[in-house]
Amino acid sequence: MMSKEENELLTQTGPGTPMGNLFRRFWIPALLSEELSGPNCPPVRVTLMSEKLIAFRDTDGKVGLLDRYCSHRGADLFYGRNEERGIRCVYHGWKFDVQGRCLEIPNAAVPQAFMDKCKLKSYPTQEKGGMIWAYMGPPELMPELPHYEFLQQPDSHYYVSKFKADGNYLQSMEGECDSGHVGFLHRYLQQDGVSAASAGGQNFVTKVAHVSWQVEETDYGLMMAAQRDLGDGRANWRANLFLLPHTVPIATVRGVTMTCHIRVPIDDESSWLYRPRWNPSRALTDAELSQFRHAGEDYPELIPGTYITKENKSNDYGMDRTAQRYFSYTGIKSLAAQDMAVQYDQAGVIADRTRENLVSADRAVIMMRQKLLKAARDLQAGKEPAEASRPEKFNVRAMDIVVAKDADWKREMETAMAPERPWVASLA
Ligand code: FES
Ligand SMILES: [Fe+2]
């Protein structure tokens, strides 16, 4: 059980909050590249960790991520004109470039010093892996972009999408660290198993509900291995990873297309899920791409023109009581909506963790919270998170493997990955 103070510290990411400061030491996805389709395209409102921003792509294709409100009298730059190398406020015509510098004040004669003073807050961005990444921390501490495996793939082997999740980011992220829920929430009654994408190609997660945990500190965050005893002398190990502050590569059987979940707080009551998919050994197939474009059970349909799922809280995630009786544990169609249904309001859209009763199955969730709490408190005390300055350590893979029960499972995982990744010893 947590104290109210700990729960607030974990869940609040606005400017000046301890957890918000921790997140601001890392590069985080601000939007998909496709949202800014080309030079001088329409600007897009972006809210990141409770900061209201505007994103636009200028005439040269450069991305600006600025304070959303004009420095004159605060008009919303969403209505602005994206013109020759800058965005122009339509209220009185002031113009700003991608770095927030005020280029023109056409309604008054002012000295350059005044123009300089009217600079808008702007954040550095980088574009990689179909995402526009933002760094919102102290400029002198800006690290390299983490060397995520998915950022090193050729276009043909890679796809990324996103959708909005209601509720605080942390309860969504706890779901990623909670291997045991899959055997209940995502269970199908008639079919034996869940989608290959969710189960990483195996369905032990739905057959064996009892999970034993081995959770270890690593250079990037945590390695959270769930062991399931298969009852025939073998064990299934699923080693999900937690990369500070918000990235969870999902354990996958070798050769199967991989997934990573990145939870980005919009504000304290909603978040984006960015979901890179990649296969280092082959191009993604048409069937995979079709599913990833929000046409399958793991990728809920979106409301056209938005990144909001059709199954959402306004319609109880499309729950069908007949389907719940005869077909699936929840009667909710997509896996993502099944997660959202139980996660968006856990005694609050910011879950009330003071009233929980945790058990051994919650071990990885507890460890992930402790990791975040410690990092945020250390930063409060002036100690920078070491993980932010170790981008090369983020090139790790999460794996699902079946081995003899008494085998050295970590060595077996390393051996299985060795042809491509001899350095995967960073698991330990
Ligand atoms: S409020 Fe933007 S130019 Fe006046
Ligand atoms: Fe889930």
Side-chain angles (χ1 to χ4, degrees):
M1 197 167 82
M2 312 206 87
S3 69
K4 187 164 174 290
E5 178 265 332
E6 286 173 325
N7 198 37
E8 286 174 359
L9 196 147
L10 271 171
T11 51
Q12 296 175 357
T13 60
T17 60
M19 193 57 68
N21 288 341
L22 180 70
F23 269 74
R24 284 167 177 79
R25 295 304 200 264
F26 296 83
W27 285 93
I28 59 168
L31 64 172
L32 293 175
S33 292
E34 69 183 24
E35 295 180 71
L36 297 176
S37 56
N40 296 340
C41 65
V44 175
R45 286 191 185 109
V46 173
T47 304
L48 273 183
M49 298 185 287
S50 304
E51 290 191 48
K52 292 185 175 175
L53 307 170
I54 193 83
F56 70 104
R57 200 187 285 280
D58 76 3
T59 315
D60 300 325
K62 289 191 202 127
V63 173
L65 187 63
L66 313 181
D67 188 343
R68 190 182 302 165
Y69 301 108
C70 178
S71 56
H72 179 214
R73 279 166 46 203
D76 186 343
L77 290 171
F78 171 76
Y79 299 103
R81 301 174 64 89
N82 190 0
E83 296 180 340
E84 190 61 18
R85 294 195 177 82
I87 188 164
R88 190 184 292 281
C89 178
V90 288
Y91 203 177
H92 312 95
W94 292 27
K95 184 173 172 182
F96 305 89
D97 70 7
V98 289
Q99 291 172 311
R101 287 179 303 213
C102 185
L103 302 177
E104 289 177 34
I105 295 187
N107 62 336
V110 295
Q112 183 61 42
F114 184 84
M115 303 256 285
D116 294 346
K117 183 172 88 74
C118 294
K119 186 176 189 295
L120 284 174
K121 178 175 69 185
S122 77
Y123 291 119
T125 60
Q126 289 190 58
E127 208 162 354
K128 200 162 185 193
M131 289 176 272
I132 295 166
W133 301 74
Y135 176 72
M136 300 165 73
E140 68 280 10
L141 295 176
M142 187 167 78
E144 264 178 70
L145 205 56
H147 299 189
Y148 293 124
E149 182 180 20
F150 60 80
L151 291 182
Q152 300 163 44
Q153 305 302 314
D155 288 353
S156 55
H157 295 216
Y158 176 79
Y159 188 79
V160 63
S161 64
K162 78 171 193 180
F163 64 85
K164 187 178 176 188
D166 296 311
N168 182 264
Y169 84 96
L170 186 65
Q171 55 238 39
S172 300
M173 207 158 78
E174 286 169 347
E176 328 281 14
C177 301
D178 175 17
S179 189
H181 84 271
V182 180
F184 298 96
L185 183 72
H186 303 308
R187 184 186 296 174
Y188 287 76
L189 306 178
Q190 308 290 332
Q191 301 169 342
D192 194 16
V194 297
S195 82
S198 169
Q202 306 195 49
N203 54 18
F204 304 120
V205 283
T206 59
K207 288 179 179 163
V208 185
H210 184 83
V211 171
S212 314
W213 285 104
Q214 187 166 330
V215 184
E216 292 176 7
E217 298 264 346
T218 63
D219 289 338
Y220 49 80
L222 294 174
M223 187 278 298
M224 308 172 291
Q227 190 233 41
R228 288 174 170 83
D229 187 338
L230 302 186
D232 58 2
R234 298 179 307 153
N236 170 227
W237 286 91
R238 284 177 62 75
N240 285 349
L241 311 177
F242 172 53
L243 281 47
L244 246 66
H246 61 161
T247 301
V248 180
I250 306 295
T252 308
V253 175
R254 183 156 193 276
V256 172
T257 295
M258 291 185 276
T259 314
C260 179
H261 286 184
I262 310 174
R263 299 282 178 178
V264 178
I266 297 171
D267 50 31
D268 292 341
E269 300 196 346
S270 60
S271 65
W272 293 116
L273 170 59
Y274 286 85
R275 189 147 55 166
R277 302 297 306 261
W278 72 102
N279 195 319
S281 52
R282 62 163 173 79
L284 301 179
T285 64
D286 288 345
E288 284 175 320
L289 289 169
S290 157
Q291 133 118 269
F292 302 161
R293 291 186 177 121
H294 294 274
E297 66 178 14
D298 204 20
Y299 285 78
E301 271 188 83
L302 300 179
I303 296 170
T306 76
Y307 295 96
I308 296 168
T309 55
K310 282 187 178 171
E311 299 169 293
N312 59 51
K313 64 181 179 184
S314 75
N315 52 28
D316 291 327
Y317 298 93
M319 183 188 211
D320 176 336
R321 292 285 179 192
T322 305
Q324 185 179 35
R325 192 174 192 90
Y326 297 110
F327 182 65
S328 69
Y329 210 64
T330 57
I332 294 171
K333 200 167 120 210
S334 74
L335 300 176
Q338 292 164 8
D339 282 321
M340 287 195 284
V342 293
Q343 290 165 1
Y344 98 85
D345 178 2
Q346 291 183 244
V349 291
I350 298 174
D352 183 354
R353 294 177 180 77
T354 66
R355 50 176 278 174
E356 296 173 327
N357 294 289
L358 301 176
V359 294
S360 60
D362 299 310
R363 178 157 169 73
V365 170
I366 295 166
M367 294 282 287
M368 185 270 284
R369 291 174 183 176
Q370 294 304 335
K371 184 85 192 164
L372 275 176
L373 263 182
K374 179 166 187 322
R377 283 177 170 152
D378 281 353
L379 184 57
Q380 264 185 307
K383 186 174 167 215
E384 292 293 327
E387 293 82 359
S389 54
R390 293 177 188 146
E392 71 287 355
K393 298 293 185 187
F394 283 54
N395 192 355
V396 282
R397 185 183 289 179
M399 199 169 189
D400 179 316
I401 197 170
V402 174
V403 295
K405 217 181 136 189
D406 55 1
D408 179 344
W409 66 272
K410 274 200 247 173
R411 184 144 303 283
E412 302 251 0
M413 264 192 195
E414 285 178 23
T415 306
M417 284 189 259
E420 294 141 28
R421 302 163 71 83
W423 36 259
V424 83
S426 49
L427 255 180

